[in-house]
Amino acid sequence: MNTQWMIKTHGDPLGTVREFTKLVWKTFDLERMVVPTNGKAEDTGPHFIDDSDGLEALSPCTPLMPINAAKLIPELLEKDSKKIGAMLRPCEMRTLFEMTKQNGLNTDKLLTLSVDCLGTLPTDEYQWRVERKGSPKKLTQEALQFSRQGGIVRYRYRSACQVCISPQATKANINIGILGLPVRQHALITINDESLAERLNMAEFAEGKIDADILEGHQRVIARLVQRSENTRERIANGLAELLPENVATLIEQFESCGDCSTCMDVCPLCDIHYPQRTEDGRFQESDVTRWLISCSGCGICEQACPQHLPLTIIFNHIQSQLAEEFDYQAGISTDDLLPII
Ligand code: SF4
Ligand code: SF4
Ligand code: SF4
């Protein structure tokens, strides 16, 4: 059962998210966390934090996503014995869901947090904007200023963000809503487990009753973003129709022109689990590629890394939609859905 709370941000939404995350750390006696931080362009990525003081650098709204942080989770779970935390973007949470299903990754020791995503920029655009603004912090603050409207410069976002199926934080144990909200005054916290809410003493921490108008604004902006993404996805897919593979077998033929490159597979967290193997004739196995792409979360990290700059987000999304229909399976929705046997 969901439990939703409104919290006051006192003019400092980022500071409030940091303080709240510190409360989470203390309440659940976390040993370590993987979180996005607000560093320089070259190191603004997920960082491991061993001490709650390190959360001062926490910055979940920095518009840069160098890797899909879900890739770090299996190692983290293996290494640490106590409870660990991870703050993940919505597409990283979708990836984690698929990872738990693909290889039975046990996440009992993991506590997840997620914040509504304001979108991320390609690295060169991010660097240019940071230089223009003066610091990553200022760029992040600018993005937050527009969170009520759903973010800024969407047409400049990574293509994965322009076609994101959902930027809303809903899948983590603890989800922080900022989209469509007056974030200098309020944020929304949704906890997917009543016992966690009780341990956090949310009744005391939160404001009390949720304002219906504010909640309506939050849902309206998210619905608009999702619709806009869908329209953009359709428009790009139509424009690239000639490039889109007909099916998995045709995609494998396209991979053949990539030579020895396998970067998109190397950077994808889901490929850690089902790395497509080549057959004797050098082709990838159709079943492996199917198992990989049926779970695709649309994070776009593969496209970001592709040395040939291929529009992989749309290509993989096109294949995934076909597989979703064929196998009646939607990726990243729930950990309860069974993966189809392929
Ligand atoms: S794909 Fe969606 S959730 Fe992921 S970074 Fe882009 S907007 Fe955020
Ligand atoms: S295939 Fe690409 S878009 Fe899909 S989950 Fe992997 S890295 Fe993300
Ligand atoms: S990263 Fe690009 S060039 Fe490399 S295998 Fe993937 S699609 Fe081909």
Side-chain angles (χ1 to χ4, degrees), residues 47-235:
H47 283 223
F48 292 111
I49 293 192
D50 297 317
D51 184 304
S52 63
D53 289 345
L55 291 173
E56 285 306 321
L58 173 70
S59 187
C61 303
T62 297
L64 186 72
M65 181 174 165
I67 69 163
N68 183 325
K71 197 171 174 66
L72 306 173
I73 303 294
E75 196 193 327
L76 199 65
L77 286 170
E78 208 169 284
K79 212 159 60 183
D80 290 319
S81 51
K82 282 174 67 184
K83 192 98 178 161
I84 57 165
M87 186 172 272
L88 300 173
R89 291 181 187 273
C91 58
E92 293 170 328
M93 274 307 306
R94 294 195 285 274
T95 311
L96 186 67
F97 270 22
E98 291 306 298
M99 289 165 76
T100 61
K101 288 185 276 180
Q102 288 262 9
N103 75 343
L105 182 73
N106 185 338
T107 53
D108 288 351
K109 279 190 301 173
L110 185 68
L111 183 78
T112 51
L113 292 94
S114 188
V115 181
D116 283 351
C117 187
L118 300 174
T120 57
L121 298 162
T123 311
D124 50 355
E125 178 79 22
Y126 173 82
Q127 273 164 334
W128 181 77
R129 284 181 184 272
V130 164
E131 274 163 35
R132 218 181 51 145
K133 278 275 148 202
S135 70
K137 192 173 166 191
K138 286 187 180 155
L139 183 62
T140 304
Q141 276 166 350
E142 183 190 50
L144 266 166
Q145 270 170 23
F146 288 87
S147 100
R148 193 166 191 174
Q149 291 88 346
I152 45 163
V153 293
R154 292 190 64 80
Y155 66 100
R156 292 283 191 188
Y157 287 173
R158 295 187 306 126
S159 50
C161 301
Q162 292 185 34
V163 301
C164 180
I165 58 165
S166 175
Q168 185 180 15
T170 56
K171 310 227 172 285
N173 299 119
I174 300 170
N175 301 284
I176 303 175
I178 56 169
L179 279 167
L181 297 179
V183 283
R184 288 183 63 77
Q185 284 96 46
H186 309 283
L188 199 64
I189 297 196
T190 308
I191 301 184
N192 285 328
D193 181 335
E194 263 186 79
S195 65
L196 295 183
E198 268 172 37
R199 281 186 67 185
L200 280 165
N201 203 1
M202 284 305 293
E204 196 153 301
F205 186 82
E207 275 182 60
K209 214 161 171 259
I210 295 174
D211 184 306
D213 287 345
I214 290 184
L215 191 58
E216 197 268 327
H218 172 62
Q219 284 158 347
R220 184 168 20 86
V221 167
I222 289 167
R224 201 178 66 215
L225 290 173
V226 170
Q227 184 60 55
R228 195 185 295 173
S229 288
E230 208 175 303
N231 297 345
T232 309
R233 206 161 42 240
E234 255 183 58
R235 186 168 42 76

Side-chain angles (χ1 to χ4, degrees), residues 268 270 292-293 296-302 316:
C268 176
L270 294 160
W292 166 32
L293 291 181
C296 172
S297 67
C299 73
I301 292 300
C302 47
F316 292 170

